[in-house]
Amino acid sequence: MWISFFKLRLFCCLLAVLMVVVLVINVTQVEYLDHETVSATFIDSSGQFVSSQVTGISRNPYCGYEHQTLSSRERMEEDSLLAALQWQVPDVGPVPFLKSTDPSSSYFVILNSAAFFKVGSQLEVLVHVQDFQRMPKKYGGDYLQARIHSPKLQAGAVGRVVDYQNGFYKVFFTLLWPGKVKVSISLVHPTEGIRVLQHLQEEKPHRVYFKSLFRSGRISETTECNVCLPGSLPLCNFTDLYTGEPWFCFKPKKLPCSSRINHFKGGYLKGLLTAAENAFFQSGVNIKMPINSSGPDWVTVIPRRIKETNNLELSQGSGTFPSGYYYKDQWRPRKFKMRQFNDPDNITECLQRKVVYLFGDSTIRQWFEYLTTFVPDLVEFNLGSPKNVGPFLAVDQKHNILLKYRCHGPPIRFTTVFSNELHYVANELNGIVGGKNTVVAIAVWSHFSTFPLEVYIRRLRNIRRAVVQLLDRSPKTVVVIRTANAQELGPEVSLFNSDWYNFQLDTILRKMFSGVGVYLVDAWEMTLAHYLPHKLHPDEVIVKNQLDMFLSFVCPLET
């Protein structure tokens, strides 16, 4: 018996020694890989993982968006999107400030002026831009925004701008309500400023930088992170294994990559422009400045007869522009009847027995905040999450409503997000079963404005793939996309979050989700058409209209 016991103890000791040896070898190998290599993982067109190893010692500057493996269809789509967004800026060499577009010298005139117009008629406006020497400009490329509005009626709609590349622009409006209708045209950026923004977009995507804290015991280090990191220092590779979304941090000197604790916005690069370039970004001079009319800036619109109104409504196709308009401060989509959820009980009735997922940036977090403030039975459950970051959760136990908010994965400019809370929207969608009581709303745009467009296209491609799969397995799931919106601009904000950047992102989003089977809340038009100043986070009256539209998709009027 004692001999058997001794043999058993000897066997256990040998096994323990063997396990320790194996553990040491594995740890050494992991640390070696951690110090010496960076792994880039992508998904090819067949959905298989393709991995490549790049040494961290002798490495060229790496930009994940330049190394995508795309199918022929994806490549064709990306090329088409980029071609459609080619902004026609002439190569005229350096332009002095005095030769740049001056909104105060420029003017517009109503072309088809008449004694009166009927609702549904087209209004055409010609804009002629001039420089600060009051000389006509011979080329285009300015970024203009246009709207019609009736202040007393709290009515407004946007117009479509056409650039003739010769200093003249034509703006087309559809007159959608009766009364006195005023025209407003604004210069957001002159051509010369757009050239600067293009250069920053392509050459300095790192002008917003991010950081992560690494910690183990009493040792902590902070390093810079981004989609693209210059230089040849060793990197920590946090590329998502499922979506292939690249994310890198400079490797800490003393800690392994696995010790990452959080993610946060590091800051904004300064001194991006020369003195000459700074002149093209001046508040009160050439950023979101009005262009005045050389004659009357308003027209009179009379109602149509009932029969004509019905024909007008029936003639509206899928490409309706504008998509809607304000009247008495209420948004009126032109393709369907939107409900007004003015009472909390109406919202409760609509969302009863539903799970609502809100994914994205702070502009859709506003929806969570509005709902939990306006609906008393929807009580926020304290998860201990950082303020303004999340994730957040609200519950109405009586009516069986669950409301969730989660921010999208990096790049995201929030203060501090714990590493284990950095979830990509596509991965979250893949974890949802779906069904008639499942509602998903997505807003991903603002934090991509500093990057080349390929970065945003890839993110939307991954989200779209997950949305299509969700709708395939659960066709009754309601999926809503919130578009980008205009915001207030100053000299510095323009370099990072210009409306021109966000207009590009908005255009890409609409094209990529066209025909997918999702609903669109047109936040872009809803901010441009409103009389309130543009804000990154629009005022409550605009958010209320966004939620009314969202809830109208969830609980449409019975027809």
Side-chain angles (χ1 to χ4, degrees), residues 75-87 202 452-454 457 504 508:
R75 177 62 64 190
M76 187 181 300
E77 179 188 44
E78 184 170 295
D79 291 345
S80 175
L81 289 168
L82 296 176
L85 287 167
Q86 284 292 324
W87 198 265
E202 294 300 327
L453 297 175
E454 292 89 339
I457 292 171
Q504 292 180 307
I508 290 172

Side-chain angles (χ1 to χ4, degrees), residues 9 86 153 168 185 238 349 360 418 457 517:
R9 289 185 60 184
Q86 284 292 324
L153 296 173
F168 287 93
I185 311 289
F238 297 111
E349 181 183 0
F418 294 117
I457 292 171

Side-chain angles (χ1 to χ4, degrees), residues 270-465:
K270 305 293 183 181
L272 292 169
L273 306 184
T274 65
E277 290 171 334
N278 273 317
F280 302 134
F281 298 92
Q282 300 183 62
S283 295
V285 177
N286 51 17
I287 299 178
K288 282 205 174 181
M289 290 298 293
I291 293 176
N292 295 320
S293 171
S294 66
D297 62 355
W298 58 273
V299 296
T300 299
V301 183
I302 62 173
R304 280 180 176 265
R305 294 193 298 270
I306 295 177
K307 183 177 180 180
E308 290 177 321
T309 302
N310 290 338
N311 289 337
L312 175 68
E313 296 296 326
L314 289 171
S315 67
Q316 293 170 4
S318 59
T320 302
F321 183 88
S323 68
Y325 63 100
Y326 283 105
Y327 190 78
K328 296 183 178 178
D329 240 359
Q330 294 180 350
W331 183 251
R332 295 187 175 185
R334 297 178 64 199
K335 296 203 296 184
F336 75 102
K337 182 72 172 177
M338 190 174 89
R339 297 177 59 186
Q340 299 297 320
F341 292 82
N342 299 324
D343 191 294
D345 291 341
N346 300 146
I347 297 179
T348 299
E349 181 183 0
C350 174
L351 296 181
Q352 190 166 357
R353 295 185 298 277
K354 287 182 171 55
V355 180
V356 182
Y357 299 90
L358 305 177
F359 297 120
D361 54 39
S362 56
T363 61
I364 206 164
R365 190 188 68 222
Q366 277 191 289
W367 290 15
F368 182 93
E369 294 164 350
Y370 177 90
L371 289 170
T372 53
T373 301
F374 186 67
V375 182
D377 290 338
L378 200 54
V379 180
E380 185 173 355
F381 187 84
N382 187 2
L383 298 175
S385 302
K387 184 180 179 182
N388 296 336
V389 175
F392 300 128
L393 175 70
V395 179
D396 179 349
Q397 289 185 322
K398 180 180 178 182
H399 301 98
N400 199 18
I401 301 171
L402 186 61
L403 177 67
K404 298 181 177 183
Y405 164 78
R406 179 177 288 281
C407 67
H408 63 73
I412 191 157
R413 304 175 199 157
F414 286 177
T415 48
T416 301
V417 185
F418 294 117
S419 298
N420 61 348
E421 297 294 355
L422 289 171
H423 296 196
Y424 289 93
V425 174
N427 293 339
E428 291 295 302
L429 293 172
N430 288 333
I432 295 175
V433 175
K436 65 178 182 179
N437 289 324
T438 302
V439 181
V440 176
I442 303 167
V444 177
W445 60 276
S446 179
H447 300 258
F448 289 81
S449 57
T450 55
F451 293 95
L453 297 175
E454 292 89 339
V455 176
Y456 188 60
I457 292 171
R458 176 176 51 205
R459 182 62 54 91
L460 291 191
R461 187 185 296 121
N462 283 319
I463 294 174
R464 182 180 62 186
R465 183 185 298 118

